[in-house]
């Protein structure tokens, strides 16, 4: 996550530093300030936050068995959680059905795409979902939402010839209720950019009067940074049943500024968009979010996502096999297939406890592209059972040559896969020394006996 990635680096540097504790704290606080300001977090919020961290770090005594630097990381974690919204977690399950969600947002914020993501999210929870195309201003909005609805298996309602957004919204909700939708998501027209809040809120009021939504959801582009404060504040004051989605968190350095600005208004951040695909929408849980930022890992969030893809058990077993040190091409094959479903390898690794702080040491292993994964899977399909079970056999040039011919690739590409195997094996050997990793998997019953 651009901008906020420097927080993980600051923690990594802290844990490696030596010298007087006061000097370590001073340097660490500077690193945290730089990271947050570069993420467009309001300067006043940054200095208030780091003042609290400094005071607690110097005054509080850690419990026995915990070093002062480890305690400093814990203090940072707790204060950042407060900055991004505190302990409260959003309730995503509707209290009753049918349940109507009205989407509003500034044009270009990714609102229509977010409607598709929400539809996919609720479909994966077993709900019948319908979407209404009531954005009559933006060319292509109708077609885009229709395609998204078809892709995620949601019911669709729209009137391509009409310009009456209020009438479309009202008829669409009525029609989809008759068709048995549990959750109805209404896409409305956006407004042009920052400064158009009043027009946006006025249209929200008019459509809301017509359809009586159970929830109004504001979509904010993370690139707005700390400017999100004004829009979120006015929205929060205008509707007591509102929630917020912050989109495009993966594509801007200002994501931290947007999240902290929204949280400062007291508004509820319900979801964050972490990529362009319809699966890349996450429930916003401040504790998990901060844990990932600091390189502490977030296994639960990872497993929640995998569960929606119906491959949680296979993934747990694969990671457990890898942590246990049993690395073969069969295991790598399963791992690569699962990573293709889950998204960028680096993003998934950041969620696993212990991996986050090691990513810089194994940067190449974490940057496996989709194209490379496909090629490597093809190479492994050309191996014998013996080679799949004993990767060291690829030390023999004749085997590398035969596999390359069978897969239609260069010998150098087969060697690249072999080098990747050795890197992963080395990474797992280091992770085996981490008791917290082994205990985590032991509790899940995933480690071999």
């Amino acid at each position: 996550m651009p901008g906020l990635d420097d927080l993980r680096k600051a923690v990594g540097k802290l844990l490696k530093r030596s010298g007087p504790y006061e000097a370590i704290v001073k340097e660490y606080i500077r690193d945290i300030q730089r990271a947050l300001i570069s993420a467009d977090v309001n300067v006043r919020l940054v200095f208030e936050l780091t003042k609290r961290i400094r005071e607690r770090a110097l005054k509080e005594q850690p419990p026995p068995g915990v070093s002062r630097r480890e305690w400093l990381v814990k203090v940072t974690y707790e204060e950042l959680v407060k900055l991004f919204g505190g302990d409260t977690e959003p309730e995503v399950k509707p209290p009753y059905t049918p349940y109507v969600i009205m989407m509003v947002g500034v044009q270009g914020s990714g609102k229509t795409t977010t409607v598709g993501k929400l539809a996919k999210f609720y479909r994966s929870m077993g709900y019948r979902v319908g979407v209404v195309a009531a954005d009559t201003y933006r060319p292509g909005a109708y077609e885009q939402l229709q395609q998204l609805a078809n892709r995620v298996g949601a019911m669709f309602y729209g009137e391509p010839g009409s310009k009456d957004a209020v009438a479309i919204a009202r008829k669409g909700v009525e029609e989809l209720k008759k068709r048995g939708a549990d959750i109805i998501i209404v896409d409305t027209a956006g407004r042009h950019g920052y400064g158009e809040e009043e027009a946006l809120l006025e249209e929200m009021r008019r459509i809301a009067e017509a359809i009586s939504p159970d929830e109004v959801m504001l979509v904010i582009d993370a690139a707005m940074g700390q400017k999100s404060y004004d829009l979120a504040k006015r929205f929060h004051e205008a509707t007591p049943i509102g929630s917020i989605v912050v989109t495009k968190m993966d594509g801007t350095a200002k994501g931290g500024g947007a999240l902290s600005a929204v949280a400062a208004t007291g508004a509820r951040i319900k979801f964050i968009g972490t990529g362009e695909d319809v699966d890349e929408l996450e429930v916003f849980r401040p504790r998990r979010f901060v844990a990932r930022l600091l390189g502490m890992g977030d296994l639960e969030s990872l497993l929640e996502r995998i569960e929606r893809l119906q491959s949680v058990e296979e993934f747990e077993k694969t990671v457990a096999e890898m942590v246990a040190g049993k690395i073969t091409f069969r295991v790598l094959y399963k791992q690569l297939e699962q990573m293709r479903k889950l998204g960028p390898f680096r993003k998934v690794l950041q969620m696993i406890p212990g991996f986050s702080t090691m990513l810089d040491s194994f940067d190449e292993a974490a940057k496996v592209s989709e194209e490379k994964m496909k090629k490597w899977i093809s190479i492994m399909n050309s191996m014998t059972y013996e080679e799949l079970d004993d990767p060291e056999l690829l030390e023999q040039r004749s085997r590398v040559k035969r596999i390359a011919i069978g897969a239609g690739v260069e010998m150098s590409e087969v060697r690249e896969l072999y080098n990747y195997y050795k890197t992963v094996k080395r990474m797992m050997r280091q992770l085996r020394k981490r008791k917290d990793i082994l205990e985590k998997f032991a509790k899940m019953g995933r480690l071999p006996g």
Side-chain angles (χ1 to χ4, degrees):
M1 200 169 293
L4 290 173
D5 274 346
D6 289 340
L7 286 172
R8 177 171 55 82
K9 292 174 184 171
V11 171
K13 281 165 68 178
L14 166 70
L15 296 173
K16 290 175 188 171
R17 279 197 180 108
S18 57
Y21 181 63
E22 287 75 10
I24 289 173
V25 171
K26 188 176 180 181
E27 192 59 39
Y28 173 68
I29 291 294
R30 280 187 193 148
D31 289 342
I32 293 289
Q33 288 173 340
R34 278 193 287 264
L36 291 171
I37 289 170
S38 73
D40 200 39
V41 177
N42 179 276
V43 174
R44 180 181 57 80
L45 288 177
V46 171
F47 283 105
E48 286 175 1
L49 171 88
T50 51
K51 182 184 176 185
R52 289 196 303 271
I53 293 174
R54 184 188 295 108
E55 287 175 355
R56 291 185 61 188
L58 297 175
K59 289 178 182 176
E60 294 179 7
Q61 286 299 315
V66 176
S67 74
R68 295 184 81 183
R69 280 181 297 179
E70 288 170 333
W71 182 252
L72 179 50
V73 173
K74 180 179 181 292
V75 166
T76 305
Y77 168 71
E78 290 173 350
E79 293 298 334
L80 283 171
V81 168
K82 289 178 191 172
L83 177 72
F84 292 121
D87 276 329
T88 54
E89 290 197 1
E91 179 53 66
V92 295
K93 193 174 179 180
Y96 48 81
T97 58
Y99 191 80
V100 179
I101 302 171
M102 187 175 93
M103 307 292 288
V104 295
V106 172
Q107 241 181 37
S109 60
K111 179 171 47 60
T112 302
T113 302
T114 301
V115 172
K117 290 182 177 185
L118 272 176
K120 176 70 188 295
F121 177 84
Y122 282 115
R123 284 274 295 133
S124 69
M125 289 178 71
Y127 292 100
R128 288 168 296 185
V129 181
V131 297
V132 180
D135 180 352
T136 58
Y137 294 93
R138 183 171 67 85
Y142 174 94
E143 289 79 8
Q144 183 189 359
L145 188 57
Q146 189 174 43
Q147 288 169 9
L148 284 167
N150 290 336
R151 183 176 169 190
V152 304
M155 292 177 263
F156 175 80
Y157 181 88
E159 298 176 20
S162 173
K163 291 291 181 186
D164 190 342
V166 176
I168 293 171
R170 185 175 58 248
K171 288 181 201 168
V173 170
E174 289 170 0
E175 175 66 24
L176 291 170
K177 281 181 179 177
K178 288 177 188 173
R179 287 162 63 182
D182 298 314
I183 296 174
I184 299 164
I185 308 167
V186 181
D187 185 25
T188 65
R191 281 290 169 269
H192 286 286
Y194 180 67
E196 291 282 335
E197 295 92 339
E198 197 52 55
L200 177 68
L201 294 172
E202 180 53 38
E203 174 145 308
M204 181 183 84
R205 289 187 196 100
R206 287 195 304 113
I207 295 181
E209 283 173 12
I211 65 173
S212 300
D214 300 289
E215 182 175 343
V216 182
M217 198 173 281
L218 173 67
V219 180
I220 291 179
D221 186 339
M224 282 182 74
Q226 58 181 290
K227 287 181 179 179
S228 305
Y229 181 86
D230 295 333
L231 179 57
K233 186 171 185 289
R234 296 183 71 171
F235 172 75
H236 184 48
E237 289 168 352
T239 173
I241 53 168
S243 59
I244 290 176
V245 184
V246 179
T247 60
K248 308 180 187 178
M249 284 294 294
D250 58 317
T252 177
K254 295 185 176 184
L259 290 174
S260 57
V262 173
T265 69
R268 288 183 302 149
I269 303 173
K270 201 163 191 177
F271 296 97
I272 53 173
T274 57
E276 293 182 7
D277 197 74
V278 288
D279 283 313
E280 293 182 302
L281 182 77
E282 292 181 14
V283 178
F284 182 65
R285 297 182 172 96
R287 283 195 172 275
R288 293 185 178 188
F289 179 75
V290 173
R292 219 183 308 170
L293 284 183
L294 297 181
M296 295 162 75
D298 179 6
L299 188 64
E300 286 78 18
S301 179
L302 174 66
L303 295 183
E304 176 187 298
R305 188 173 177 207
I306 299 166
E307 223 167 0
R308 297 214 311 268
L309 297 168
Q310 298 182 321
S311 58
V312 62
E313 196 169 343
E314 290 79 10
F315 186 80
E316 287 173 3
K317 285 177 182 173
T318 304
V319 176
E321 282 180 60
M322 293 168 72
V323 172
K326 296 184 176 178
I327 311 293
T328 66
F329 280 129
R330 288 185 194 274
V331 173
L332 285 188
Y333 190 98
K334 282 195 290 182
Q335 176 223 15
L336 291 172
E337 284 281 26
Q338 288 156 357
M339 292 303 170
R340 287 175 67 190
K341 293 180 190 174
L342 293 167
F345 191 18
R346 188 181 185 89
K347 190 185 290 186
V348 177
L349 285 181
Q350 282 177 335
M351 298 181 189
I352 303 174
F355 280 67
S356 308
T357 51
M358 297 170 61
L359 282 177
D360 292 335
S361 307
F362 296 97
D363 206 40
E364 288 308 308
K367 287 182 179 175
V368 182
S369 67
E370 171 72 15
E371 187 180 348
K372 193 170 283 185
M373 285 188 205
K374 287 180 183 175
K375 191 167 284 187
W376 285 354
I377 285 168
S378 173
I379 290 170
M380 285 186 275
N381 282 332
S382 297
M383 293 181 186
T384 64
Y385 292 147
E386 190 182 18
E387 289 159 351
L388 288 171
D389 291 327
D390 185 4
E392 304 297 333
L393 291 172
L394 266 66
E395 292 287 349
Q396 299 171 27
R397 189 176 184 279
S398 58
R399 288 181 182 269
V400 172
K401 186 176 180 181
R402 193 204 80 249
I403 293 166
I405 293 169
V409 299
E410 300 294 325
M411 288 175 67
S412 61
E413 290 173 305
V414 180
R415 290 197 188 95
E416 187 181 28
L417 169 60
Y418 181 54
N419 288 333
Y420 172 76
Y421 149 76
K422 289 193 287 188
T423 301
V424 171
K425 188 177 179 182
R426 194 165 66 250
M427 185 191 291
M428 296 306 149
R429 198 178 296 132
Q430 288 194 21
L431 280 170
R432 289 188 76 187
K433 298 171 185 174
R434 294 278 301 271
K435 287 184 180 177
D436 56 328
I437 308 288
L438 299 176
E439 285 170 4
K440 191 86 174 177
F441 283 110
K443 283 177 186 173
M444 290 160 51
R446 297 293 182 209
L447 283 179

